[in-house]
Each structure stands twice: as structure tokens, then as C-alpha cells.
Amino acid sequence: MSDFQLDSRQLRRNFAAAASTYEKHDALQREVQTHLLERLSFYLDTPQRVVDIGAGTGRGSAALKRRYPKAEVIAIDVALPMLRAAKQHSSWLKPFDRVCAEARALPLADHSVDVLHSNLCFQWIDDLPVLFGECMRVLKPGGLMVFSSFGPDTLMELRAAWAEADQQPHVSRFLDMHDVGDAMLAAGLRDPVLDVFRYTLTYSEPRKLLEELQGLGATNADRQRERGLTGKSRYRRMLAAYEAMRRDGRIPATWEVVSAHAWGPPVGQPRRVGGMEIASFSIDKLRGSRR
């Protein structure tokens, strides 16, 4: 996973720019969201605090508030324009809070979250040990984390078409289910369960897919990407290579989705941070152990 590095500033710019267009292109995100919400049936308690990481324009946060109307629901996103757009889904009857923050540094107290939810956000975070360490830190013992992320076969047709044009990375890379699962276990999360689903969307021409990626903010943010403008000849070669993949009159695009859930461990189980193990106990418990 060492060569998997993303440009966080570019990601923030991409998603900030897409705030006004995101919901015109989020059909797949809504479909994945529906299946992700089904995983919440494993949580049998009534949550007090529910957190949506990478909330975007707030559709998922609103769905969580409808499901848990008595809970405090917090939408967290790194792009402030996305949170401004999310206000439209936060009604006075079913409001949720909006907080601008990074998933790797959540502004939440230890063991303060009952349900932690994230729909198609974690693929944009390249430091999984820190990410899952934060998730474990904020989850209550027995709290549930559910999330979805893109797998490495996502946009494999576009990646192959670009490979015909040049050797530069034009499509962001994504980690596979085994890397994700290993990172969850290493962080100390309990009983992780992961599944992989594939969706194939089709388009009238390759440019329609590229427009959709731009509208979602899901354009390349790999640190090894070429920073200058792509030449017209290479762009045309990519389009021609993609055209050769046309099936039944349509251009296919594969989206591999990893869906997962895990549980917050008991109090006192150490979490791994920077190669060290950190365990947290209440003051009362520590006092009792010294008697």
C-alpha cells in the first residue's frame, strides 16, 4: 500500500467544485447507499449519536435522521461547499448537524459514537491505519461502523483506454478488499464483514462518463498524476481505445464496491497509532485497579 498516495488538497478542491453538480450524477451513490443502510439492521439498540463521514450533499445524513429520528446526526465532510449544499436536506423537523473536518482527525470525543456511517468516501483516504484508528477511537464499545468504498477494478475500462494512450496515471487507484480488511483488523475493530459488488453503468459515449466523474468530483487525485494538460492527440487515442470497448451500442464502465461493517471493541482494548498501542480507561477504573 506504500505507493498508494493521494493529493488531499486536490481532492478537497475537486469536491468543493462539484458541490452544485453532484446530485445530477449520483445515481450509483444512491444505489450503494440503499444497500449500506440495510447493514444497519445489525444494530439493535437505539443510538444517541450517529455520524456520517464524507457526507457530501447530505442525502445519506438525511436518511440516517429518518431512520433514527431521536439521535443526534452529524454530517462530516472535508469540503465546506458540500456541507452548504447539504443544508437543503436538513429540515427543521429532522435536522442534522454539519461539521467541516477530515476523517483522519475527527472532532469527536473518544467512545462517543453509536453508529458511524460512510458511503463511498474511504477510497479517497490513503492512510487506512490512521483512518480506522480514528473510527475505533470514536466508536462506543459495541458501536457499529458501516461503510462502502471503491475497489481496484473500478473504472477498469477507462484505465485500460488511457493505457493505450500513454503510461501516466489518469485514473485514481483504489485498494482491494483484503487491504481494507487487514487495516480494520490491525486497528482493533471487531468482527469485520466485507462484501464486494460490481455495477456496470453504460454511456452513449466516453465523454459522458468523463463529464459524470467531473460532476461528482471523482477525478484523478493521485500524487503521481501528470500535472500539465493532456495533449489532444493522447486524449483522442484514449477515446478511440474506449470506443473499441463499445458493447450493444453503449460504452461500459465498471464500478467495484466494497461494503463492510465492524464493531467497536470493549473499553481498554488498545488501538494502534503510529506503531504504538494506546489503551484508554476511565479514571474510576484506573483508581479501582490501584487499590
Side-chain angles (χ1 to χ4, degrees):
M1 293 193 294
S2 59
D3 65 340
F4 181 74
Q5 293 187 321
L6 296 170
D7 184 338
S8 57
R9 289 185 180 180
Q10 185 61 44
L11 280 168
R12 191 182 296 113
R13 285 194 290 266
N14 289 350
F15 289 116
S20 62
T21 55
Y22 187 89
E23 292 193 2
K24 298 175 185 175
H25 303 281
D26 68 345
L28 175 66
Q29 283 72 12
R30 279 182 274 165
E31 177 69 17
V32 175
Q33 175 74 81
T34 298
H35 292 293
L36 191 60
L37 291 174
E38 292 173 1
R39 284 186 180 260
L40 295 178
S41 60
F42 293 116
Y43 188 81
L44 302 179
D45 296 331
T46 301
Q48 295 174 308
R49 175 177 283 174
V50 177
V51 172
D52 185 16
I53 297 178
T57 56
R59 283 192 198 270
S61 305
L64 290 166
K65 186 64 179 179
R66 288 192 296 271
R67 187 180 187 110
Y68 303 119
K70 294 182 179 179
E72 176 193 25
V73 175
I74 304 173
I76 294 179
D77 201 276
V78 73
L80 189 57
M82 283 285 193
L83 292 171
R84 291 190 179 120
K87 187 177 182 181
Q88 66 182 314
H89 294 296
S90 180
S91 66
W92 68 273
L93 274 175
K94 290 188 171 62
F96 54 83
D97 298 322
R98 293 166 292 139
V99 177
C100 190
E102 285 202 30
R104 293 174 296 185
L106 296 169
L108 300 165
D110 292 5
H111 311 308
S112 64
V113 176
D114 298 283
V115 173
L116 192 154
H117 163 281
S118 181
N119 184 37
L120 296 177
C121 164
F122 286 179
Q123 70 273 0
W124 304 117
I125 301 165
D126 54 14
D127 195 337
L128 292 186
V130 170
L131 169 65
F132 289 131
E134 271 294 89
C135 293
M136 181 170 150
R137 179 184 68 80
V138 303
L139 272 175
K140 290 181 182 178
L144 177 66
M145 176 175 75
V146 298
F147 71 89
S148 59
S149 179
F150 287 134
D153 281 349
T154 295
L155 299 174
M156 61 183 185
E157 298 89 354
L158 179 60
R159 202 184 310 274
W162 270 119
E164 293 289 320
D166 63 28
Q167 299 305 308
Q168 298 294 327
H170 293 272
V171 182
S172 289
R173 294 168 291 173
F174 305 116
L175 296 174
D176 70 22
M177 180 175 71
H178 300 97
D179 290 324
V180 174
D182 288 348
M184 293 169 74
L185 284 170
L189 290 158
R190 295 288 294 274
D191 303 323
V193 177
L194 296 91
D195 298 294
V196 174
F197 304 92
R198 284 196 179 207
Y199 300 84
T200 301
L201 305 186
T202 63
Y203 302 83
S204 58
E205 57 178 321
R207 285 188 182 88
K208 295 296 184 183
L209 168 61
L210 299 177
E211 288 172 9
E212 181 168 286
L213 294 176
Q214 187 93 30
L216 291 168
T219 48
N220 187 21
D222 195 307
R223 283 189 184 174
Q224 297 181 23
R225 73 190 184 280
E226 191 174 36
R227 302 302 175 104
L229 294 173
T230 301
K232 288 183 178 179
S233 61
R234 284 186 290 165
Y235 182 68
R236 283 196 292 267
R237 283 203 299 274
M238 181 278 290
L239 291 178
Y242 211 156
E243 277 290 340
M245 302 178 205
R246 188 180 287 274
R247 296 199 302 263
D248 300 322
R250 302 283 291 178
I251 294 294
T254 296
W255 299 81
E256 183 182 43
V257 175
V258 177
S259 182
H261 70 264
W263 302 89
V267 172
Q269 178 176 313
R271 68 181 191 273
R272 297 179 187 274
V273 180
M276 299 183 296
E277 290 193 343
I278 299 175
S280 49
F281 301 89
S282 70
I283 288 291
D284 291 337
K285 187 160 187 173
L286 283 174
R287 286 192 185 117
S289 67
R290 292 170 65 92
R291 288 185 185 134

